[in-house]
Amino acid sequence: MKVVPLGAGQDVGRSCVLVTLGGKTIMFDCGMHMGYNDERRFPDFNYITTEGDFTSRIDAVVITHFHLDHCGALPHFTEQRGYHGPIYMTPPTKAICPILLEDFRKVAIERKGETGFFTSQHIKDCMKKVVPLHLHETVWVDDELELRAYYAGHVLGAAMVYARCGNESVVYTGDYNMTPDRHLGAAWIDKVRPDVLITETTYGTTIRDSKRSRERDFLEKVHRCVLRGGKVLIPCFALGRAQELCILIDSYWERMGLTVPVYFSAGLTEKANRYYKLFINWTNQKVKESFVNRNPFDFKYIKPWSRDYVDLPGPMVVFATPGMLHIGMSLEVFRKWAPDERNMLIMPGYCVAGTVGAKVLSGMKVVEIDQYSQVQVNIDVQNLSFSAHADAKGIMELIRQASPRNVVLVHGEKSRMSYLKSKIMGEFGCPCYDPANGELLEIETGQDVRALMSDQLFQAAWAKEQERRQKSAVSLDDSVVPAATPITQLPIRGVLFLGDGKRPARLLDPSEFDLDDIPVVSASGVEGESSSGEDATVAAGVDDLTLSSGSNQVVFSTRRVFDGTDLAERMGLPSSVDVAAAALLAIRELLLTDTATQPTDVGATRGKQASVVRVGRSIELSVPAKTTECDLPSLHVSWAWEEEELATQVLVVVNRVLG
C-alpha cells in the first residue's frame, strides 16, 4: 500500500492524503492552508501529474467534513485543475460545505482583491459531482473499491472512512473527537482491523483536564472580565465550537440573571440552526430529546452582531468568525479591542502557524495584521481548549478500537508526532509512521488466509470458553449465577493447513491428524530441524509451521527482516557493530523487565552457531545466517504450540525494538 500526504504531513492545515490500495487510488480530503495566501495555500497537485489528467489517476475523492482545511481546495481541484471523478461526503457536509466555500470566496475576492480564485459557479458545479455517504452504509465506487463511513464527532456531519479494495484496507480518520460534548456524540468505529490507520494528531501530546473544569474556568473568566467593564472577544468558526460555547453562555446567563449583551457576528447562524434541525440525528441524545419541546440552538440571550457595535461603551461578549483571526469579523474586532488591557481574548481552539491567532498565542505584543498595519496587543489573552479534536488519550483509544496493523500520523506538528509515535509503537507493538508532505510511504500488507474450521475445533473452543465463564461466575448464597452476557468473541487455537489451489485451507485441532501421515514440503530460505535431530516437516505459509514428527510437537517460526541502517541510527550504534546481534541484546534487556518473559538461557557465541535467547520452554530468538536471497539483517523466532500466548508477548517486544 502507498501513502503520500500532499498536505498535513508533519503540519496542520491543507489536509490531503493520497492512498493507493489494491491498485486503486483515493484522495482523502482536499483542503487549503489558512496560513498562506500564495500557491502554498493548496496541496501540490503536480505531484499526481503535471499533464492535468487527474481523473484517470484518482478513482475517488473523499471529504471527511466541511472545515476549509479539509475541503477548501475542492472547487480548485475539480473545476480549475480538471478532476471529473466521483466525490464522496456525508449529507450534512454536502449541505454546509458550499456555504463555507462561498463565504471564503467572497472574503478572498471582495475584501482582499485576489484574482484567479474559484467562482460561485465553480462551487455549484463541484457539488454536482458529490455522492452522499451515509453512516455505516457500504458504498461501492466500482466492482472492487468499497467505502464505509463512521461517526467522528468533531462537527456536524464529520466522518471517519473505511476503504477496502481486494485484500488491502485503510481507515482515514479526518478530524475526530473521542469525548462527547453538549451537542455531539463521541467518535466510534468497529474493530475493522485495517492494514493502515491514518489518524490526525493535532493534540497528540495533550491530555486534557475534565470538560466540566474547562467550562467552569471559561465562564469564570468571561464573568470576571465583564464585571470590570471589559469586552470579551471569542473567535470561533460558525459551525461546531460556536454552538457548543453559545449553549454554555446562554445557560449561564439565564442561571446568573446577567444582562450584559452577548452577540454572534456570523451571518451563518440562522442557516446553521436550520442544518442542525435538518440533521438532528447527527447530534447527541440530549439534543434529540430536548428538540421535541424547544430548539436548543434558538438562544435567548445571544443577539445578531452589527459592525456599529464595535465602538459602543460598556462590557459585552462577542462570538466572531473565523476562529484563527486570519480574516473576517474576528480580525476586525481584535484590531479595535487589542490595545485596551481591560478587554479579554479567549482562543478556544487550535491556530495554524502563520495566522494572527497563532502569533498572539505565542506572546507577541506587536502583531502585523497585514503589510500596511500593526496592532499593539495589551488585551488579556487566554487559551482555553474547547477544540473538538481527540487528545493523546483519545487517539490511543481509537487505535485500540480499530486494531490496525500499521499507523500513519498526519495533521499535527512533527514534535508532537515523534512523542506519539514512540508511545503507539511501545503500547501496541505495531509500526508507526509520520511522513512529511510529498514523502512516499510504502507499507507491506499481509494477505488474508480464508480457511474452513473443523466442527471439532469449534466445539472444543466453545466448551472451553463456557467452562472459563462457569469458573468466573458470581456466587450468591451458595447458588452459582452464570454470566448473563452472550459469547461475542471466541479465541480459537488450531493448526492451519494451507490449500494447494484445489483444496481450501483448513483449521484443525491437533488431535484430528497424524503427524506421520503429513508429507514433507520444503520451504525456500528456511532451515528447520526437530529437537530429535530428524528433518523437520514445514508447511509454507504466512509464518512457517514446523511439525516435528520425532517428538509430536507443533512448532511455529517466523523470520523478521528489518532495516539495519534505521535501527543503528535509533540506537546510536557505530558502523562496525553487528546490528542484528545488538537488536537481540536490546530485546533481551526488555524481556528481562517482565517476570513472564524473562529469558531462561543466553548464548553469545558467534560463527557457526548464532546468538540465541530462550524464553519459557520452547521460545527461541536467534540471528540467522544471511542468505544470497536476502542480505538484510533479520531475527528468527520460533515457539511451540503450547506457548503461543507467551510467544505473542515476546513478539510485541521484538516489533517494538525492530520498528
Side-chain angles (χ1 to χ4, degrees), residues 18 186 202 461 598:
L18 291 181
T202 314
Q598 281 192 352

Side-chain angles (χ1 to χ4, degrees), residues 7 33 84 91 133 170 228 288 300 311 321 325 340 347 375 413 486 497 521 567 573 587 621:
H33 200 296
H84 302 298
L133 187 61
V170 63
R228 68 173 181 244
K288 293 174 189 175
K300 181 178 179 181
D311 293 319
T321 60
L325 291 177
D340 192 338
M347 301 296 292
V375 65
E413 298 167 6
F497 289 91
V521 182
L567 184 64
L573 301 174
I587 291 168
L621 299 89

Side-chain angles (χ1 to χ4, degrees), residues 177-305:
N177 190 6
M178 297 297 288
T179 307
D181 55 32
R182 288 177 176 266
H183 72 296
L184 295 175
W188 175 87
I189 192 169
D190 286 320
K191 193 177 283 293
V192 290
R193 294 185 173 88
D195 292 304
V196 177
L197 171 73
I198 304 174
T199 176
E200 66 134 323
T201 56
T202 314
Y203 288 94
T205 58
T206 304
I207 296 180
R208 298 196 192 96
D209 52 6
S210 73
K211 181 168 159 288
R212 188 176 295 275
S213 67
R214 274 182 285 137
E215 291 178 346
R216 183 173 61 249
D217 194 22
F218 168 76
L219 293 171
E220 285 176 354
K221 282 181 167 58
V222 171
H223 197 172
R224 195 159 52 241
C225 180
V226 297
L227 283 178
R228 68 173 181 244
K231 297 176 172 63
V232 181
L233 171 61
I234 307 171
C236 56
F237 291 100
L239 292 132
R241 292 313 87 199
Q243 281 68 35
E244 182 78 4
L245 295 175
C246 283
I247 291 172
L248 194 60
I249 285 284
D250 202 60
S251 60
Y252 184 77
W253 249 237
E254 184 169 27
R255 189 166 67 250
M256 301 299 292
L258 298 177
T259 57
V260 175
V262 182
Y263 300 106
F264 197 108
S265 75
L268 300 175
T269 310
E270 190 176 328
K271 289 182 180 178
N273 290 345
R274 188 188 313 156
Y275 286 119
Y276 272 94
K277 183 176 181 178
L278 181 62
F279 299 110
I280 191 70
N281 284 337
W282 286 76
T283 60
N284 62 23
Q285 193 60 35
K286 185 176 180 180
V287 171
K288 293 174 189 175
E289 291 171 355
S290 63
F291 204 83
V292 177
N293 302 316
R294 173 182 172 269
N295 183 351
F297 303 105
D298 287 340
F299 303 114
K300 181 178 179 181
Y301 294 91
I302 300 174
K303 308 300 179 185
W305 167 262

Side-chain angles (χ1 to χ4, degrees), residues 409-429:
L409 308 179
V410 296
H411 202 282
E413 298 167 6
K414 182 172 175 57
S415 59
R416 300 188 180 194
M417 286 184 178
S418 300
Y419 166 79
L420 192 62
K421 182 178 177 181
S422 61
K423 189 173 175 64
I424 290 169
M425 292 172 67
E427 183 164 335
F428 298 104

Side-chain angles (χ1 to χ4, degrees), residues 341-391:
E341 61 184 12
R342 293 177 303 168
N343 299 334
M344 179 179 288
L345 172 69
I346 297 180
M347 301 296 292
Y350 184 86
C351 290
V352 170
T355 59
V356 173
K359 294 174 184 176
V360 171
L361 287 176
S362 68
M364 293 178 63
K365 289 300 181 183
V366 178
V367 175
E368 188 176 283
I369 300 296
D370 51 43
Q371 57 183 332
Y372 305 110
S373 60
Q374 295 179 332
V375 65
Q376 183 73 33
V377 182
N378 297 324
I379 193 170
D380 182 9
V381 179
Q382 299 288 334
N383 184 16
L384 300 176
S385 177
F386 281 90
S387 177
H389 293 269
D391 61 3

